[in-house]
Amino acid sequence: MASIHFDGKADSWFLDYQEGKILIDWLQFSSDVCCRFEDVAYDNYVGIFNKFSQLTTVEDYYERYESLKALMKDRNPSLSGAYFTMSFISGLKEEICNPVKMFKPTSETDAFYLARMQQASVDFQNKRF
């Protein structure tokens, strides 16, 4: 099922990979895909995740944050939701981070919503002056 989404070099790789195999084990396959296509910069995914911060909009930050979070969860399944919520908040720009903290969000969804609201407020204030 996953292979129908492959294109370009991933499609070529998969055609070669599956040759001669009757059954492909999912765990082995997913590991092989990562070994072949994973960005080596992600070898230090913990450091990248912990230093990651907002540079543009809240939406852009959250989108990139989610992909880094997926790596963290995949390799560290014991990390709690509270850890990820606080990590998300701590990476926000200061003018967004502090007001979001004030509301003590209990989930990433709440933190993201509050961050978007604060971003809109900051943008509005900047347009007025």
Side-chain angles (χ1 to χ4, degrees), residues 108-119:
E108 264 179 69
T109 304
D110 291 343
F112 178 54
Y113 173 78
L114 292 168
R116 288 178 55 214
M117 295 294 289
Q118 181 60 22
Q119 177 76 61

Side-chain angles (χ1 to χ4, degrees), residues 120-129:
S121 177
V122 168
D123 290 348
F124 179 74
Q125 291 295 330
N126 289 339
K127 286 180 185 178
R128 285 182 38 181
F129 299 106

Side-chain angles (χ1 to χ4, degrees), residues 11-83:
D11 188 43
S12 300
W13 172 85
F14 180 71
L15 290 173
D16 183 57
Y17 180 84
Q18 73 174 352
E19 192 171 319
K21 293 182 174 108
I22 297 170
L23 182 65
I24 298 174
D25 176 72
W26 174 253
L27 291 176
Q28 182 62 50
F29 173 69
S30 60
S31 175
D32 292 343
V33 167
C34 289
C35 285
R36 171 58 181 89
F37 295 103
E38 189 171 51
D39 187 349
V40 292
Y42 284 119
D43 284 349
N44 184 19
Y45 63 92
V46 173
I48 292 169
F49 182 80
N50 289 333
K51 292 179 183 174
F52 185 63
S53 61
Q54 178 189 1
L55 300 174
T56 59
T57 67
V58 169
E59 288 84 3
D60 290 343
Y61 167 66
Y62 190 62
E63 199 170 296
R64 180 80 168 105
Y65 171 85
E66 284 181 312
S67 65
L68 291 170
K69 176 186 169 187
L71 282 172
M72 291 288 288
K73 285 182 80 170
D74 182 51
R75 292 172 173 97
N76 303 290
S78 63
L79 294 173
S80 70
Y83 170 80

